[in-house]
Amino acid sequence: MNYYNVGKIVNTQGLQGEMRVLSVTDFTEERFKKGSKLSVFDDKDRLLLDVEIASHRKQKNFDIIKFKGMYHINDIEKYKGCTLKVAEENLSDLEDGEFYYHEIIGLDVYENDVLIGQVKEILQPGANDVWVVKRKGKRDLLLPYIPPVVLNVDVAGHRIDVDVLEGLDDED
């Protein structure tokens, strides 16, 4: 079964079994809602246990979550530094024009039918995502995921067509 990262447990929060999670998903409300099923993986990417979310709230840049059946700091302290993942079977269908990160990372990026690189990661700095494109012999290109820049995404064809607007590529 395939699993996809949704967050990292960075610390405990109080004494009642809550954890601070650094989210790496666009679907925070869905992933961490009460009743959601996630899996906990250690730093060697080994599955430790499957869990169910008992509660979720936002605090500053963190998601504060609690697992069902673990209501004391002693129950959860051992999971600090672990990764939270969602099983592929628990992914929901997306609307047209929406993608999971794992579908975008690794796709080839073209401008005017010329291969310029591959998406290596996705950043979430604020208003829109930024796709980091790894290029040969050049610095990484940062492309905002906005309509005038990202023209077409073909996951099945392993291809993204873009228009690198003036000012986005400082090596031109």
Side-chain angles (χ1 to χ4, degrees):
M1 181 181 319
N2 290 324
Y3 291 88
Y4 301 103
N5 287 352
V6 295
K8 183 172 182 79
I9 301 170
V10 293
N11 211 342
T12 57
Q13 174 82 18
L15 301 174
Q16 304 300 316
E18 289 184 317
M19 294 162 275
R20 283 187 196 176
V21 174
L22 195 55
S23 174
V24 291
T25 177
D26 265 352
F27 307 101
T28 304
E29 294 303 319
E30 181 181 338
R31 291 292 158 246
F32 301 138
K33 75 179 177 198
K34 184 177 180 177
S36 290
K37 308 267 195 260
L38 296 176
S39 299
V40 179
F41 284 77
D42 67 11
D43 59 353
K44 293 179 178 53
D45 209 31
R46 292 181 300 221
L47 175 64
L48 298 178
L49 75 157
D50 294 319
V51 294
E52 184 177 325
I53 302 295
S55 68
H56 168 253
R57 62 187 171 90
K58 295 287 284 181
Q59 186 179 54
K60 297 183 181 170
N61 293 336
F62 296 102
D63 289 277
I64 309 298
I65 64 168
K66 189 184 286 194
F67 296 148
K68 187 176 183 182
M70 296 185 200
Y71 301 115
H72 193 271
I73 189 171
N74 294 340
D75 297 331
I76 51 113
E77 203 156 26
K78 59 185 165 242
Y79 301 118
K80 277 199 307 194
C82 289
T83 303
L84 293 174
K85 297 187 180 192
V86 62
E88 188 169 38
E89 67 189 25
N90 293 330
L91 294 177
S92 55
D93 292 333
L94 299 177
E95 295 179 21
D96 286 343
E98 292 184 331
F99 309 96
Y100 287 111
Y101 285 2
H102 69 269
E103 294 178 306
I104 299 301
I105 294 171
L107 293 186
D108 295 325
V109 179
Y110 291 85
E111 183 177 35
N112 300 322
D113 285 330
V114 176
L115 178 66
I116 61 173
Q118 276 190 334
V119 177
K120 77 171 194 179
E121 70 177 307
I122 298 173
L123 308 175
Q124 294 178 294
N128 49 269
D129 289 350
V130 174
W131 294 358
V132 181
V133 179
K134 181 177 173 60
R135 304 184 290 179
K136 270 198 171 122
K138 291 184 174 184
R139 279 195 280 172
D140 291 345
L141 178 63
L142 303 177
L143 292 178
Y145 180 56
I146 54 175
V149 175
V150 178
L151 306 175
N152 185 50
V153 178
D154 179 4
V155 174
H158 206 262
R159 178 185 178 114
I160 300 170
D161 291 294
V162 300
D163 182 13
V164 180
L165 302 176
E166 191 173 326
L168 288 178
D169 187 358
D170 59 6
E171 294 196 10
D172 281 342

